[in-house]
Amino acid sequence: MPSPTLSPAARLRGIRPSWLSPKVLRTEVLGGLVVALALIPEAISFSIIAGVDPAIGLFASFTMAVTIALVGGRPAMISAATGAVALVIGPLNREHGLGYLIACVILAGVLQIAMGALGIAKLMRFLPRGVMVGFVNALALLVFMAQVPELRDVPWPVYPLTAGALALMVLLPRLTRTVPAPLVSIAILTAITLAAGIAVPTVGDKGELPSSLPAPGLPDVPFTLDTFTTIAPYALAMALVGLMESLMTAKLVDDITGTRSSKTRESVGQGIANIVTGFLGGMGGCAMIGQTMINVRVSGARTRLSTFLAGAFLMVLCIAFGPLVSDIPMAALVAVMIMVSVATFDWHSIAPSTLRRMPAGETAVMLVTVACVVATHNLAIGVIAGTLTAMAVFAKRVAHLTDVTAVTDPDGSTVVYSVKGQLFFASSNELVDRFDYAGDPDKVVIDLASAHIWDASTVAALDAVTATYEQRGKTVEITGLNQQSARMHATLSGELP
């Protein structure tokens, strides 16, 4: 039976991108608009941290979002100027000036491309779950803590306005999800404050918005080896911190959406975005957990269109609607970010039922990660500390799984030690004490058929056991080595001090 002929409209639906469907398009457009509104005060605040003009941070957010939408690996993730990057490059700007900061951003982008090409992103698979949960919870706390200064020493109307915006964002989704609740809250609070003439802090109080698009240009620095050595340490730190935050945010969005993304492409994309941003005079950046959660979790966006529009709307709002945007009360944006922090925090991870079932070591890894990030406001330090804690917990746990049993032949001439488990630096140190050097017969067999040698520490421990027996005139035979263990033992035995 011949297949029915499709109408032109049906054929068009079959070939057009999914984001062109009216429902998805509406979600992506409104999500991008909400993110753009939330980016403005954040970018201005991060500019202040870095010690640059607010326009520098806003330019960075525009160019990062637009570029990463085209070349990044994780659809719907938002990249812009961030506090983590501002903290790294701020000292360079204060000591050497804006030109060196711009050059640092460009070099950091080059380093990120190199790291992506070298497969640095693949190291993400070594991050334990406890570190990821701690990362998410710490970011949620940081997002909330960043709003606290906006609620201190402010006119009293700020508090009911914030409470009203929170109530709107909680109740409106129960009635309709056609329009994002954060956008409705921002619009209503702006209308109320303007109509009633309520004097509260606004976006305009954070700094002057740009009135034109950024112009391309080279950084105003001497192109010498001295300049390179000055910016290189800051560029490397920025590249590492930016990649770490971006890749962990990408993994979080992967988990939320149930989809996979290319971490290698994301690494390269972050580098390209920073290079473009640097040549356009921006302060650079990386993925933003707060704005990404607004886009993905609150607004429901899933495609690159929302990321592109977030950057495009940001410049349109600043240039074409600057006076109106300047009148948006900070209370509305504070409420949006509070909702983001609540939605981001993994409440299941601290539920009593979860804590009772979870091994103490796993909980410790999560708490160490959270504590270090919150204490230092540095995601890299928290992630490194959490990972090291997880490694220590794992090593301790595996080390105690090693078992040694001894069986003596009936004639008493030979004793066979059967070793089971994973032999590495933590477990092999205890291995030396598991033998009866004085009481054993003249022939000792160490059977490693159920064990595996992982490192030089184990080979050194076996050499120490053999040497101790030989000092007493006894012979030692090591048997049962698998191929990899035998190769390592043959290569290193007798060569270690």
Side-chain angles (χ1 to χ4, degrees), residues 52-73:
V52 299
D53 188 83
I56 304 298
L58 290 165
F59 287 155
S61 295
F62 161 61
T63 55
M64 287 292 297
V66 169
T67 306
I68 207 68
L70 301 176
V71 300

Side-chain angles (χ1 to χ4, degrees), residues 273-306:
N274 273 308
I275 291 173
V276 172
T277 298
F279 281 118
L280 289 173
M283 59 179 276
C286 61
M288 299 188 75
I289 182 68
Q291 276 64 25
T292 297
M293 289 300 100
I294 292 175
N295 196 44
V296 174
R297 180 164 277 174
V298 178
S299 300
R302 293 292 184 270
T303 76
R304 299 179 185 276
L305 180 62
S306 58

Side-chain angles (χ1 to χ4, degrees), residues 2 44 63 81 88 102 135 198 210 228 235 268 322 354 361 384 425 430 457 462 480 489 493 495:
I44 295 174
T63 55
V88 170
I102 299 301
F135 168 81
I198 302 174
F228 176 80
V268 174
T354 302
I384 292 171
F425 62 90
E430 298 181 1
S457 296
L462 291 172
H489 186 265
S493 182
E495 302 297 329

Side-chain angles (χ1 to χ4, degrees), residues 3-15:
S3 59
T5 303
L6 296 176
S7 66
R11 287 198 298 271
L12 180 61
R13 284 195 299 270
I15 62 173

Side-chain angles (χ1 to χ4, degrees), residues 31-33 35-36 39 65 78 305-315:
L33 180 57
V35 170
L39 277 174
I78 304 297
L305 180 62
S306 58
T307 305
F308 179 88
L309 290 177
F313 282 149
L314 174 63
M315 278 293 100

Side-chain angles (χ1 to χ4, degrees), residues 112-187:
Q112 287 177 329
I113 293 175
M115 291 176 184
L118 292 172
I120 297 297
K122 295 178 181 178
L123 296 177
M124 282 294 296
R125 68 180 184 271
F126 293 110
L127 287 180
R129 180 186 176 278
V131 173
M132 282 298 303
V133 173
F135 168 81
V136 171
N137 290 347
L139 284 174
L141 292 174
L142 289 181
V143 169
F144 179 82
M145 290 166 60
Q147 312 315 309
V148 174
E150 304 295 340
L151 299 175
R152 289 178 180 165
D153 302 322
V154 293
W156 69 265
V158 168
Y159 302 109
L161 287 171
T162 303
L166 289 170
L168 273 171
M169 285 185 283
V170 170
L171 299 175
L172 186 61
R174 300 181 181 181
L175 301 176
T176 179
R177 293 183 178 272
T178 302
V179 181
L183 184 58
V184 175
S185 299
I186 292 170

Side-chain angles (χ1 to χ4, degrees), residues 392 394-405 417 419-437 455 457-462 464-465:
F394 174 77
K396 182 179 179 181
R397 186 179 302 157
V398 175
H400 290 297
L401 294 179
T402 303
D403 183 48
V404 179
T405 58
Y417 283 92
V419 182
K420 298 179 181 179
Q422 305 303 311
L423 301 179
F424 62 111
F425 62 90
S427 58
S428 58
N429 289 332
E430 298 181 1
L431 185 66
V432 179
D433 301 324
R434 304 295 291 274
F435 297 88
D436 184 4
Y437 301 102
D455 58 10
S457 296
T458 302
V459 177
L462 291 172
V465 171

